[in-house]
């Protein structure tokens, strides 16, 4: 029975391309062999998902599948006109055979694959090389790709006598169409290989080195040409797309190519001025805090951010000052603080003074 690719991806037959893409990402993430190591059913499911997406993402392949490869027969059409229930398929083959459609199967490109990769904040900022293991179809070592059980061989298709074509007489028309039994191959497999279930390929882990450039971010996508599923009948391999997720940093936050961090300073440092150490991606630098610095003051360290993937130019680092209020005071510290409070007036606290004046204006 033909595979129902729409059911495999969990979408309706008329689903738009974007919905099919989202469904593929969701299903591939769920059944990825890296997440279910040793689970043979998950490996087979993952293979089915990639096969289904490889067809439905391509408009031409999808159109051909909808017409000839669906699980259900064509509805309506000429089925009641005395030509038999398969005339819709037969009639379609007349046109596709004449206009370059279905003929003896030729090379077919492999499906594209997706791999989700987590990297650290620093790896994203500096660039890195990561080795990943990707499940990939390889020639079955038992049958060497013949698809037949060892000790047996493919046999000529009885339906078409090994030609791959079937002839039909309809009135004065004599039409040749692709053989429905062997799908144009001319051969069938009486005893499919047990190791690969007649597919000719098995899933194996393939180690690939991924070079990640500096400046990437979450949802950045890297394309490795030819590293996807292998082609069929000598066709080129598909592509492997690496989707990146950058882990959060305990100190820094990122906004485009700029980074930011909060640096706490003491009340005396903010009042009298000081020189404090500030972390950057490269090193620790000294930052001069002028007297009277307030909470929320922002200092800019130029060129201390993340490089652009396109230009290599680095963004800036924004340092946000946070004044820390003492949580506990000893006796002497409290005495000094009380003395400071007794001799202070609103002129010492300009922000407080401005706020109180605005309150008076509002309240009268």
């Amino acid at each position: 029975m033909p595979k129902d690719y729409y059911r495999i991806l969990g979408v309706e037959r008329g689903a738009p391309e974007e919905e099919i893409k989202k469904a593929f990402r969701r299903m591939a993430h769920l059944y990825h062999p890296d997440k279910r190591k040793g689970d043979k059913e998950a490996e087979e499911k993952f293979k089915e998902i990639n096969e289904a997406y490889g067809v439905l993402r391509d408009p031409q392949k999808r159109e051909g599948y909808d017409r000839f490869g669906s699980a259900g027969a064509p509805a309506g059409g000429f089925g009641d006109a005395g030509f038999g229930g398969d005339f819709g398929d037969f009639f379609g083959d007349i046109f596709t055979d004449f206009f370059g459609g279905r003929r003896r199967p030729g090379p077919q490109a492999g499906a594209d694959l997706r791999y989700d990769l987590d990297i650290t904040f620093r790896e994203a900022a500096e660039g890195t090389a990561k080795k990943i293991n990707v499940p990939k179809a390889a020639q079955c070592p038992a049958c060497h790709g013949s698809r037949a059980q060892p000790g047996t061989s493919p046999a000529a298709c009885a339906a078409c006598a090994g030609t791959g074509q079937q002839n039909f007489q309809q009135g004065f028309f004599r039409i040749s169409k692709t053989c429905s039994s062997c799908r144009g191959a001319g051969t069938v497999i009486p005893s499919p290989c047990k190791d690969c279930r007649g597919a000719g390929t098995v899933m194996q882990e393939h180690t690939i080195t991924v070079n990640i450039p500096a400046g990437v971010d979450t949802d950045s996508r890297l394309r490795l040409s030819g590293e996807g599923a292998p082609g069929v009948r000598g066709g080129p391999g598909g592509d492997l797309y690496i989707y990146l997720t950058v882990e959060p940093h305990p100190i820094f936050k990122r906004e485009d190519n700029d980074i930011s961090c909060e640096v706490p300073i003491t009340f005396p440092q903010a009042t009298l001025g000081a020189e404090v150490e500030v972390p950057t991606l490269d090193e620790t630098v000294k930052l001069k805090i002028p007297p009277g610095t307030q909470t929320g003051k922002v200092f800019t360290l130029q060129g201390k951010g993340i490089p652009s993937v396109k230009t290599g130019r680095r963004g800036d680092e924004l340092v946000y000052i946070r004044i820390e209020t003492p949580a506990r005071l000893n006796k002497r510290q409290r005495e000094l603080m009380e003395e400071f409070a007794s001799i202070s007036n609103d002129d010492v606290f300009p922000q407080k003074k401005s706020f109180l004046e605005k309150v008076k204006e509002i309240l009268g």
Side-chain angles (χ1 to χ4, degrees):
M1 176 179 289
K3 295 181 180 179
D4 188 341
Y5 290 148
Y6 293 97
R7 182 187 59 79
I8 290 173
L9 293 182
V11 298
E12 297 294 331
R13 178 166 293 274
E17 181 180 351
E18 188 61 29
E19 183 180 340
I20 290 175
K21 184 181 296 183
K22 289 181 180 178
F24 165 71
R25 291 177 180 175
R26 181 176 64 255
M27 297 290 286
H29 183 76
L30 183 62
Y31 289 97
H32 199 291
D34 276 1
K35 299 182 180 295
R36 300 192 179 192
K37 292 186 180 295
D39 189 336
K40 296 298 183 183
E41 290 186 4
E43 288 185 7
E44 290 299 320
K45 184 68 174 178
F46 186 74
K47 187 176 179 181
E48 272 192 339
I49 292 165
N50 278 292
E51 180 183 334
Y53 182 60
V55 173
L56 298 186
R57 73 181 182 87
D58 186 303
Q60 292 183 342
K61 294 178 184 177
R62 182 177 179 181
E63 181 183 1
Y65 169 76
D66 287 343
R67 294 181 60 194
F68 308 114
S70 61
F78 295 93
D80 299 324
F83 295 101
D86 291 329
F87 185 77
D89 194 21
F90 174 77
F91 189 71
D93 279 315
I94 296 177
F95 287 92
T96 52
D97 284 340
F98 270 110
F99 297 104
R102 289 173 61 195
R103 291 187 178 276
R104 204 174 188 89
Q108 181 179 344
D112 294 338
L113 300 179
R114 171 185 175 131
Y115 189 97
D116 295 305
L117 180 62
D118 295 339
I119 59 175
T120 66
F121 191 94
R122 184 169 292 277
E123 287 173 335
E126 298 177 350
T128 187
K130 305 281 279 189
K131 287 187 177 181
I132 61 173
N133 293 321
V134 179
K136 195 172 182 180
Q139 186 183 79
C140 175
C143 68
H144 303 291
S146 71
R147 304 190 294 132
Q149 182 68 14
T152 69
S153 301
C157 176
C160 64
T163 64
Q165 299 287 313
Q166 289 178 302
N167 297 320
F168 294 87
Q169 186 77 36
Q170 196 71 43
F172 57 87
F173 283 106
R174 183 176 178 83
I175 304 298
S176 293
K177 62 173 287 186
T178 302
C179 176
S180 58
S181 296
C182 66
R183 299 182 181 275
T187 58
V188 294
I189 311 296
S191 301
C193 174
K194 295 179 180 179
D195 286 31
C196 65
R197 300 180 183 179
T201 59
V202 292
M203 296 299 290
Q204 294 181 350
E205 283 198 340
H206 180 55
T207 302
I208 299 174
T209 299
V210 181
N211 294 313
I212 301 173
V216 295
D217 201 356
T218 292
D219 291 333
S220 290
R221 187 182 73 170
L222 306 177
R223 176 185 174 219
L224 301 183
S225 179
E227 293 291 353
V232 179
R233 294 180 291 276
D239 297 332
L240 174 63
Y241 288 92
I242 310 294
Y243 284 80
L244 301 176
T245 298
V246 180
E247 298 171 354
H249 195 277
I251 295 176
F252 298 114
K253 293 182 179 179
R254 178 173 179 176
E255 183 65 35
D256 294 328
N257 292 325
D258 293 336
I259 60 174
S260 64
C261 68
E262 292 187 355
V263 176
I265 63 174
T266 66
F267 174 70
Q269 286 176 322
T271 304
L272 304 175
E275 193 173 66
V276 299
E277 291 189 339
V278 174
T280 70
L281 290 173
D282 306 313
E283 58 187 349
T284 299
V285 299
K286 291 185 176 181
L287 177 66
K288 187 174 181 180
I289 306 296
T293 295
Q294 304 296 319
T295 287
K297 174 67 177 178
V298 182
F299 295 92
T300 301
L301 302 180
Q302 294 185 349
K304 292 296 184 180
I306 293 176
S308 166
V309 175
K310 295 181 179 180
T311 66
R313 182 179 177 181
R314 295 185 63 166
D316 300 329
E317 178 176 339
L318 306 178
V319 179
Y320 290 83
I321 297 299
R322 293 289 178 263
I323 300 173
E324 184 176 8
T325 302
R328 291 188 300 272
L329 298 175
N330 59 33
K331 183 179 179 181
R332 179 56 178 158
Q333 289 171 332
R334 177 173 291 278
E335 289 174 351
L336 291 173
M337 189 62 71
E338 290 174 347
E339 181 180 352
F340 173 77
S342 67
I343 62 175
S344 300
N345 54 39
D346 289 344
D347 292 335
V348 180
F349 303 102
Q351 291 186 12
K352 176 185 176 183
K353 182 179 179 181
S354 175
F355 174 75
L356 292 176
E357 289 175 351
K358 291 178 181 178
V359 171
K360 287 181 180 179
E361 291 178 4
I362 294 172
L363 300 178

